[in-house]
Amino acid sequence: MLENGIKQELAAVVGSSFLKDDKQTLVAHSYDGTPMLQALPDAVIYPGSTQEVAAIMKILNRHRIPLVSRGSGTNLCGGTVPVLGGVVMVMHRMNAILEVDMQNLTATVQPGIITKKFIEHVESLGLFYPPDPSSMSISTIGGNIAECSGGLRGLKYGTTKDYVLGLECVLASGEIIRTGGKLVKDVAGYDLTKLLIGSEGTLAIVTEATLKLVPPPKYKKTMLAMFSDLYDAARTVSKIIENRIIPATLEFMDNPTIRVVDDYAKLGLPLDMAAILLIEQDGDTETVERDIERISGICRDENATQISIAHTQEEALKLLTARRSAFTALARLRPTTILEDATVPRSKIADMVLEINRIAQKHDVTICTFGHAGDGNLHPTATTDARDQEEIHRVEAAFEEIFEAAIALGGTITGEHGVGLVKAPFLEWKVGSAGVEIMKNIKLAFDPLSLLNPGKMFAKQSRRRVVLERG
Amino acid sequence: MLENGIKQELAAVVGSSFLKDDKQTLVAHSYDGTPMLQALPDAVIYPGSTQEVAAIMKILNRHRIPLVSRGSGTNLCGGTVPVLGGVVMVMHRMNAILEVDMQNLTATVQPGIITKKFIEHVESLGLFYPPDPSSMSISTIGGNIAECSGGLRGLKYGTTKDYVLGLECVLASGEIIRTGGKLVKDVAGYDLTKLLIGSEGTLAIVTEATLKLVPPPKYKKTMLAMFSDLYDAARTVSKIIENRIIPATLEFMDNPTIRVVDDYAKLGLPLDMAAILLIEQDGDTETVERDIERISGICRDENATQISIAHTQEEALKLLTARRSAFTALARLRPTTILEDATVPRSKIADMVLEINRIAQKHDVTICTFGHAGDGNLHPTATTDARDQEEIHRVEAAFEEIFEAAIALGGTITGEHGVGLVKAPFLEWKVGSAGVEIMKNIKLAFDPLSLLNPGKMFAKQSRRRVVLERG
């Protein structure tokens, strides 16, 4: 619980209706999109402006109270669970689109804007903001920046970091800094903008972002290719890119995922296939038609059993639904769904999928795999039950081996979900002890009292636990 | 001078022929591409491997001797002048292309490889590395990474930072770290890769880089548009992008630059034009043809007096030569050429050029302006004489006002040349005192003894001097 004096100070900044510490609000902000993690905050605060955020941070800094800033909490790494208590700052009131600059093709927004709402707004103006995380209909731009969110269009268009040109942030001290600007090029000092993206709220609180917009593609075409052999599908991914074609989307689903998705969405998918690739190309009409034709040829050469090309927007939407509904469909199977994020060089997709299947079998757990094959970014997803301690331990052991396998293949422990609580014990595997040391020093360079989202990114020790206990 | 004991330690690492401290070698490494800056190092060392770099750093760290790592020293910010003496480390022996991975479309190189040589190598394999700084025929990839070099293709393709996927670096402690990898997506901890790019050798010594390659464009078309009114030309830049066309190249030259270039390269340019735009589009044939036609239409609508479209590769090369030879041509005019790097949002190009002309006139100095108009990145270039103290002070005063004007227009003090020595006094103007403080803390997070390229990036105080005295 916060002392009454501190509560009064905070309420004086935001107004008493925007500071809450009733049980219901605290519980609602004790967890996020990650299963099996929970910790109660001491209060929840809803700032309305950058100045309020700065004033709040000055108070918390003086009293050395931790702060967790968050948007919708859709992250899958325990990134917004307030493990050390303190104040949770919800950015939803700061949700304005401050400007769309049609001359410079930029937009300036507050962090609380819902990603999909922002995307629809810029599309209505004839522009395009590519990052499209699966959570986009509820996640916020601020959250996307904190986690450097990816999405289905990452292969061709990149991820959130490729679209943030400038930031306004509040430091742990309460000072306000501005980085970058409406500038395509800026090398004045270290690139704080890029450093802050994906820093999971541990370095500063983002209060405004200037985003790059691009001309929208004129035309789009969607296709599915089905494979009776997993290895054929994975090799096709490499072959497409080796042939110098970069599709907008190049997604993968394995057989268990196909079965679950079809049962959920009734799409009439062939249930005996080992894998499906969902491929989308966009751009100028001639380019798209030619690329889709060439991709079809490559799929056939690599033994695709069946190829479906969407001829209408409805057909395309149906094919996309197959992939977009994967997580939802899997989540229906059992009480607990753990969606992971191992990423490898794209040439290693086949090896990685085989490793995942071998490891799942070894530990007798159900793991369905889908993901952004073109990025080498797979989402092995365990359907399990948090109440079954013994099974959960087997799931943990399996994921630990999956991360090890990803690293061994030249990959990483997380491609787009972030480190947060869940991956903190494994960070050293990827970046080494000298790398962790440097990152801890950077954390202290911004936040010497470790007030911002404490307990995240860095494990107290290199534990070998994937799933943490209920806090 | 280094103590004999230390010299022996260093020579034991690299072999005595790769450690030099004769006068000639010291003088040759006392300056770089930046005029009027010079400081003698105590020794010059040429490592042959990452292990040697690590061993050297351990020795220097123990004796607290500064180190400046460098490639060809073509930078224009005094970035490799050893202002505090110590050892200059030349990376030219570490110049191997270690691998081109055709499946993942990556290349792994040592830092000493000449950029143009690398570009030609990947082009011979049917791939494309877009960053093309004007210095590319002599500069190195390591130097490009240190300065986050841009180039003529930046508008569409981005700069060096957009093509570095992973780094191997030696820290000031002599420890070796690896960041990123052959991964399109990696959010395991803070983005050290991007932080190191453009850090000007102040955080770590890059010993290996994994670079992203892309499919080459199939077709390319080049055109010049000439304008009798400067403002028409500048507005055309905005109009092209407002019309959702992102050309590969969109370069600008003002009248003084046109005259000098034509005198140098005998291209038959119209000498009465206020400005010329050089525009290049690449991609699929249909797209390029259509874009060039639309761009021509926009140029005509904005009162272009003359439009030349290249119909052969020779013609295209001739048009490109006009822009590529700008610096060389200007450098012939007077003994000292100071090329600056003010950058503004692209919609402010016209305002910025007018400001530059006003300021040049006010201080009675000759400033020709050319640059990457599509990026808002202008190179106002003063032709002057370092021996004339009075004139140099007027040039300094003019550039100071030019930086002020860029910042006032929402711009930055440097778009692609870096801070180094020359811009250090102005860094605070762009990032604020809290920003400078954070950056200094980051520097110490990597390099607590300030051994790596000391004296760069951060000014001892916020001086208002642009051109520094001979050291």
Side-chain angles (χ1 to χ4, degrees), chain A residues 92-409:
Chain A
H92 275 170
R93 286 177 66 210
M94 292 175 66
N95 63 357
I97 299 173
L98 300 171
E99 183 198 40
V100 176
D101 179 335
M102 303 296 284
Q103 280 193 297
N104 291 302
L105 303 193
T106 62
T108 301
V109 302
Q110 290 185 311
I113 178 86
I114 300 292
T115 307
K116 195 172 178 195
K117 214 166 151 182
F118 171 68
I119 289 177
E120 287 171 354
H121 180 72
V122 301
E123 285 181 357
S124 76
L125 299 171
L127 288 165
F128 185 39
Y129 177 75
D132 62 340
S134 298
S135 57
M136 66 181 175
S137 48
I138 36 172
S139 66
T140 64
I141 291 288
N144 295 172
I145 291 171
E147 302 293 345
C148 188
S149 303
L152 264 59
R153 300 192 281 235
L155 172 57
K156 182 171 184 174
Y157 290 101
T159 62
T160 302
K161 71 172 182 298
D162 299 302
Y163 293 88
V164 182
L165 298 174
L167 292 172
E168 179 196 71
C169 292
V170 173
L171 300 175
S173 62
E175 280 176 296
I176 299 166
I177 62 167
R178 282 193 165 270
T179 73
K182 288 183 186 175
L183 300 164
V184 206
K185 286 153 114 182
D186 177 16
V187 293
Y190 304 134
D191 193 341
L192 298 185
T193 311
K194 297 274 193 257
L195 180 60
L196 287 162
I197 300 163
S199 67
E200 307 184 358
T202 63
L203 301 182
I205 305 158
V206 172
T207 49
E208 193 183 297
T210 297
L211 306 171
K212 176 177 154 180
L213 306 174
V214 295
K218 294 180 182 61
Y219 184 69
K220 194 155 70 172
K221 204 149 187 176
T222 310
M223 60 179 279
L224 281 190
M226 290 132 203
F227 295 84
S228 55
D229 180 86
L230 188 68
Y231 214 83
D232 287 344
R235 205 179 44 248
T236 302
V237 172
S238 287
K239 287 278 171 193
I240 291 169
I241 291 159
E242 263 183 88
N243 275 277
R244 316 276 190 276
I245 308 171
I246 310 289
T249 294
L250 180 39
E251 298 283 314
F252 168 92
M253 285 191 295
D254 70 357
N255 176 276
T257 312
I258 297 168
R259 302 176 82 91
V260 173
V261 164
D262 196 69
D263 183 52
Y264 168 73
K266 315 289 180 211
L267 297 164
L269 297 173
L271 302 182
D272 55 339
M273 289 295 122
I276 287 182
L277 295 180
L278 166 75
I279 304 163
E280 200 164 67
Q281 183 59 304
D282 62 14
D284 282 353
T285 314
E286 308 82 7
T287 312
V288 171
E289 292 291 356
R290 198 206 48 219
D291 281 356
I292 289 290
E293 194 170 315
R294 288 179 60 208
I295 292 169
S296 303
I298 294 165
C299 290
R300 277 190 299 270
D301 289 350
E302 301 300 329
N303 310 319
T305 315
Q306 197 186 318
I307 294 171
S308 314
I309 299 178
H311 294 287
T312 64
Q313 228 179 331
E314 290 68 43
E315 281 177 40
L317 204 65
K318 192 175 150 189
L319 300 185
L320 271 171
T321 302
R323 166 61 185 87
R324 286 238 178 241
S325 59
F327 180 52
T328 318
L330 287 167
R332 291 165 71 239
L333 284 189
R334 295 192 60 203
T336 308
T337 312
I338 303 177
L339 188 150
E340 268 311 334
D341 191 33
T343 299
V344 291
R346 61 169 79 95
S347 64
K348 303 293 186 188
I349 284 282
D351 298 334
M352 190 65 212
V353 173
L354 293 177
E355 278 294 90
I356 292 169
N357 291 349
R358 185 188 61 73
I359 293 166
Q361 208 161 13
K362 174 180 162 191
H363 294 281
D364 189 24
V365 293
T366 305
I367 296 185
C368 303
T369 299
F370 59 95
H372 318 297
D375 306 336
N377 182 196
L378 293 175
H379 294 314
T381 302
T383 54
T384 178
D385 187 341
R387 294 162 300 189
D388 183 341
Q389 285 288 325
E390 187 277 326
E391 182 177 326
I392 287 293
H393 282 129
R394 280 186 281 118
V395 170
E396 288 180 358
F399 275 124
E400 188 168 315
E401 283 184 35
I402 287 171
F403 298 149
E404 245 170 352
I407 299 273
L409 291 167

Side-chain angles (χ1 to χ4, degrees), chain B residues 134-274:
Chain B
S134 298
S135 57
M136 66 182 175
S137 47
I138 36 172
S139 66
T140 63
I141 292 287
N144 295 172
I145 291 171
E147 301 293 344
C148 187
S149 303
L152 265 58
R153 298 191 283 233
L155 173 56
K156 183 174 185 172
Y157 289 102
T159 62
T160 302
K161 69 172 185 295
D162 300 303
Y163 294 87
V164 181
L165 298 174
L167 293 171
E168 178 194 71
C169 293
V170 174
L171 299 176
S173 62
E175 280 177 296
I176 299 166
I177 62 166
R178 284 194 163 267
T179 73
K182 288 182 186 174
L183 299 163
V184 207
K185 285 153 115 183
D186 178 15
V187 292
Y190 304 135
D191 193 340
L192 298 185
T193 310
K194 296 272 191 260
L195 180 60
L196 288 161
I197 300 163
S199 68
E200 307 183 359
T202 62
L203 301 182
I205 305 158
V206 171
T207 50
E208 192 183 296
T210 297
L211 306 171
K212 173 177 156 180
L213 305 174
V214 295
K218 294 180 182 63
Y219 184 69
K220 195 155 70 172
K221 203 147 188 178
T222 310
M223 61 179 279
L224 282 190
M226 291 133 203
F227 295 85
S228 55
D229 180 88
L230 187 70
Y231 212 84
D232 287 344
R235 205 180 42 248
T236 302
V237 172
S238 287
K239 286 277 170 192
I240 291 169
I241 291 159
E242 263 184 86
N243 275 276
R244 318 274 189 277
I245 308 170
I246 310 289
T249 293
L250 180 38
E251 297 285 312
F252 168 92
M253 285 192 294
D254 70 357
N255 176 275
T257 312
I258 297 168
R259 301 176 83 91
V260 174
V261 163
D262 197 68
D263 183 52
Y264 168 73
K266 314 290 180 210
L267 297 164
L269 297 173
L271 301 181
D272 55 339
M273 289 293 122

Side-chain angles (χ1 to χ4, degrees), chain A residues 46-66:
Chain A
Y46 306 80
S49 70
T50 303
Q51 284 63 38
E52 287 185 10
V53 174
I56 293 164
M57 258 339 288
K58 281 190 177 136
I59 295 166
L60 298 180
N61 187 60
R62 191 150 29 83
H63 297 289
R64 310 211 165 181
I65 295 167

Side-chain angles (χ1 to χ4, degrees), chain B residues 216-375:
Chain B
K218 294 180 182 63
Y219 184 69
K220 195 155 70 172
K221 203 147 188 178
T222 310
M223 61 179 279
L224 282 190
M226 291 133 203
F227 295 85
S228 55
D229 180 88
L230 187 70
Y231 212 84
D232 287 344
R235 205 180 42 248
T236 302
V237 172
S238 287
K239 286 277 170 192
I240 291 169
I241 291 159
E242 263 184 86
N243 275 276
R244 318 274 189 277
I245 308 170
I246 310 289
T249 293
L250 180 38
E251 297 285 312
F252 168 92
M253 285 192 294
D254 70 357
N255 176 275
T257 312
I258 297 168
R259 301 176 83 91
V260 174
V261 163
D262 197 68
D263 183 52
Y264 168 73
K266 314 290 180 210
L267 297 164
L269 297 173
L271 301 181
D272 55 339
M273 289 293 122
I276 287 183
L277 295 180
L278 167 75
I279 303 163
E280 201 163 68
Q281 182 59 304
D282 62 12
D284 282 352
T285 314
E286 308 83 5
T287 312
V288 171
E289 293 289 357
R290 197 206 45 217
D291 280 356
I292 290 289
E293 194 170 316
R294 287 180 60 207
I295 292 169
S296 303
I298 294 166
C299 291
R300 276 191 300 271
D301 290 349
E302 302 300 327
N303 310 318
T305 315
Q306 198 186 318
I307 294 171
S308 314
I309 298 178
H311 294 287
T312 64
Q313 231 180 329
E314 290 69 43
E315 282 177 38
L317 204 64
K318 192 174 148 189
L319 300 186
L320 271 171
T321 302
R323 165 62 184 86
R324 286 238 178 241
S325 59
F327 180 52
T328 317
L330 287 168
R332 291 164 73 241
L333 285 189
R334 297 194 57 205
T336 308
T337 312
I338 303 177
L339 188 150
E340 269 310 334
D341 191 33
T343 299
V344 291
R346 61 169 78 94
S347 64
K348 303 291 186 189
I349 285 282
D351 298 333
M352 190 65 212
V353 173
L354 293 177
E355 277 293 271
I356 292 169
N357 291 349
R358 185 188 61 74
I359 292 165
Q361 207 161 13
K362 173 179 163 192
H363 294 279
D364 189 24
V365 293
T366 306
I367 296 185
C368 303
T369 300
F370 60 95
H372 318 297
D375 305 337

